[in-house]
């Protein structure tokens, strides 16, 4: 599934967005705003970067991806399904009784999920452990962790960041979904994160800022990792919550809201027009 075709990545991202919006509407539950901000990052990783095999999701030397912002499981499930980890038809069971597609990802139920996430601030510590294990055993796998920006207000992330730099984990990459919105308000109104890049550098990381919706920039950055030998990499991906849907984009109300029938029709139409 690996491709360096930027147009193909863009088309797939749009497919994932449309399916995600439909899925959340049908389920009556989900975090559509954050899903749409992270979609381009997920699609670029799964279709252009990660060393993974959907037919062998537990292959020992596979790259590891951890969705630390686990409430955006909808975007990850939709990407995994289109990447071939399970049937796209199963997406219709999202958060339904007895479905394995829970509101937060479960590694014991869903192929392609590396660790259970939901409580924020847990993904990076797990990623550090996984990257350290690869270093200690001489294994080739890389570890990618996608965090929300509001999630960085959790102190566990900075303990993990300090450890990663200490152990020189240049096989570890953190991608920050920097949409500047969290549940209820702007991140900067809740707790100042800026100057965010300087904070990561102060913790011993190599940092690059990119447009998180530009597949060419994302692909070029991900395929040039590590950014610096002997240092973990932090990619600050500037994104828009609700990307691609006019009434959702940059609107904090869509952190955890479900589109009604009228809103769904508008969203699908706008997303369809985006690829024409």
């Amino acid at each position: 599934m690996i491709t360096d075709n930027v147009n193909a990545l863009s088309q797939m991202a749009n497919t994932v967005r449309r399916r995600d919006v439909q899925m959340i509407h049908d389920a009556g539950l989900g975090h559509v705003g954050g899903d749409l901000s992270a979609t381009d990052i997920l699609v670029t990783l799964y279709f252009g970067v990660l060393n993974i095999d959907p037919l062998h999701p537990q292959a020992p030397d596979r790259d590891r991806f951890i969705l630390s912002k686990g409430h955006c499981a909808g975007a990850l499930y939709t990407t995994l399904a289109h990447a071939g980890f399970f049937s796209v038809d199963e997406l219709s069971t999202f958060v339904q009784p007895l479905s394995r597609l829970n509101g937060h990802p479960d590694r014991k139920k869903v192929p392609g999920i590396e660790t259970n996430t939901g409580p924020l601030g847990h993904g990076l510590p797990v990623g550090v452990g996984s990257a350290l294990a690869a270093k200690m055993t001489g294994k080739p796998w890389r570890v990618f962790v996608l965090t929300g920006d509001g999630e960085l207000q959790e102190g566990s992330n900075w303990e993990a960041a300090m450890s990663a730099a200490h152990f020189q984990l240049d096989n570890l990459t953190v991608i920050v979904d920097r949409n500047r919105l969290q549940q209820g308000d702007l991140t900067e109104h809740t707790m100042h994160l800026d100057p965010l890049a300087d904070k990561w550098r102060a913790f011993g990381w190599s940092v690059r800022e990119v447009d998180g919706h530009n597949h060419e920039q994302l692909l070029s950055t991900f395929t040039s990792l590590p950014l610096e030998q002997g240092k973990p990499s932090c990619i600050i991906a500037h994104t828009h919550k609700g990307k691609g849907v006019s009434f959702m984009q940059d609107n904090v109300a869509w952190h955890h809201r479900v589109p009604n029938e009228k809103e769904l029709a508008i969203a699908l139409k706008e997303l369809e027009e985006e690829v024409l």
Side-chain angles (χ1 to χ4, degrees), residues 5 9 21 40 72 87-88 90 98 145 147 159 162 175 224 227 238-240 270 273:
N5 186 322
L9 293 173
V21 172
D40 294 305
C72 290
S87 171
V88 172
E90 189 175 350
L98 304 182
V145 179
T147 74
E159 295 177 48
M162 185 165 53
I175 306 112
S224 64
L227 298 177
H238 293 280
T239 62
H240 295 277
E270 290 184 354
E273 290 174 348

Side-chain angles (χ1 to χ4, degrees), residues 71-166:
H71 55 283
C72 290
L76 180 56
Y77 294 152
T78 310
T79 303
L80 288 172
H82 284 283
F85 282 85
F86 53 88
S87 171
V88 172
D89 291 340
E90 189 175 350
L91 295 173
S92 63
T93 72
F94 178 57
V95 301
Q96 300 305 305
L98 304 182
S99 171
R100 61 180 180 169
L101 303 183
N102 297 332
H104 293 88
D106 187 334
R107 68 176 301 275
K108 292 185 177 181
K109 296 180 179 180
V110 184
I113 301 298
E114 294 293 345
T115 188
N116 297 17
T117 52
L120 298 177
H122 288 194
L124 182 52
V126 173
V128 168
S130 182
L132 182 59
K135 288 285 189 180
M136 293 176 67
T137 56
K139 298 298 184 181
W141 75 70
R142 302 170 297 169
V143 181
F144 296 80
V145 179
L146 177 60
T147 74
D149 48 3
E151 179 180 0
L152 296 180
Q153 294 157 6
E154 299 282 354
S156 51
N157 290 299
W158 300 104
E159 295 177 48
M162 185 165 53
S163 297
H166 175 78

Side-chain angles (χ1 to χ4, degrees), residues 3 41 45 59 77 87 105 139 161 164 179 182 187 196 206 256 274:
T3 181
I41 298 166
L45 286 171
Y77 294 152
S87 171
K139 298 298 184 181
N179 61 38
Q182 61 189 93
T187 56
L196 187 56
S206 187
H256 192 359
E274 192 170 283

Side-chain angles (χ1 to χ4, degrees), residues 1-273:
M1 301 295 288
I2 299 296
T3 181
D4 58 1
N5 186 322
V6 171
N7 288 333
L9 293 173
S10 181
Q11 291 282 344
M12 178 53 67
N14 195 266
T15 296
V16 167
R17 279 195 174 91
R18 283 181 286 168
R19 188 64 185 85
D20 181 83
V21 172
Q22 181 74 59
M23 179 180 73
I24 287 175
H25 166 269
D26 295 346
L29 189 66
H31 292 79
V32 67
D35 282 4
L36 297 184
S37 73
T39 296
D40 294 305
I41 298 166
L42 291 170
V43 167
T44 304
L45 286 171
Y46 275 90
F47 290 87
V49 177
L50 295 176
N51 176 27
I52 51 172
D53 181 354
L55 300 180
H56 301 94
Q58 294 298 315
D61 290 340
R62 70 192 182 278
D63 287 338
R64 273 69 167 168
F65 172 78
I66 296 170
L67 180 70
S68 191
K69 46 180 286 182
H71 55 283
C72 290
L76 180 56
Y77 294 152
T78 310
T79 303
L80 288 172
H82 284 283
F85 282 85
F86 53 88
S87 171
V88 172
D89 291 340
E90 189 175 350
L91 295 173
S92 63
T93 72
F94 178 57
V95 301
Q96 300 305 305
L98 304 182
S99 171
R100 61 180 180 169
L101 303 183
N102 297 332
H104 293 88
D106 187 334
R107 68 176 301 275
K108 292 185 177 181
K109 296 180 179 180
V110 184
I113 301 298
E114 294 293 345
T115 188
N116 297 17
T117 52
L120 298 177
H122 288 194
L124 182 52
V126 173
V128 168
S130 182
L132 182 59
K135 288 285 189 180
M136 293 176 67
T137 56
K139 298 298 184 181
W141 75 70
R142 302 170 297 169
V143 181
F144 296 80
V145 179
L146 177 60
T147 74
D149 48 3
E151 179 180 0
L152 296 180
Q153 294 157 6
E154 299 282 354
S156 51
N157 290 299
W158 300 104
E159 295 177 48
M162 185 165 53
S163 297
H166 175 78
F167 291 111
Q168 300 181 324
L169 300 182
D170 54 8
N171 58 342
L172 173 65
T173 299
V174 166
I175 306 112
V176 180
D177 184 3
R178 186 69 168 123
N179 61 38
R180 295 184 172 271
L181 292 172
Q182 61 189 93
Q183 184 174 355
D185 206 345
L186 292 164
T187 56
E188 302 310 292
H189 287 174
T190 307
M191 184 74 69
H192 284 304
L193 292 174
D194 285 331
L196 187 56
D198 288 343
K199 288 177 180 175
W200 284 98
R201 291 188 183 102
F203 273 75
W205 289 58
S206 187
V207 182
R208 183 172 298 173
E209 299 188 60
V210 302
D211 178 345
H213 301 304
N214 185 310
H215 296 98
E216 186 172 7
Q217 281 189 31
L218 289 168
L219 190 62
S220 174
T221 301
F222 291 148
T223 54
S224 64
L225 294 170
L227 298 177
E228 189 174 346
Q229 293 293 329
K231 288 187 176 183
S233 300
C234 173
I235 311 302
I236 299 176
H238 293 280
T239 62
H240 295 277
K241 203 154 195 164
K243 169 65 176 176
V245 180
S246 60
F247 58 87
M248 294 184 186
Q249 190 161 309
D250 299 324
N251 185 344
V252 72
W254 287 95
H255 176 84
H256 192 359
R257 180 178 164 186
V258 176
N260 58 33
E261 288 287 346
K262 182 179 179 180
E263 291 166 336
L264 174 66
I266 295 171
L268 293 177
K269 185 175 186 296
E270 290 184 354
L271 291 169
E272 182 178 3
E273 290 174 348

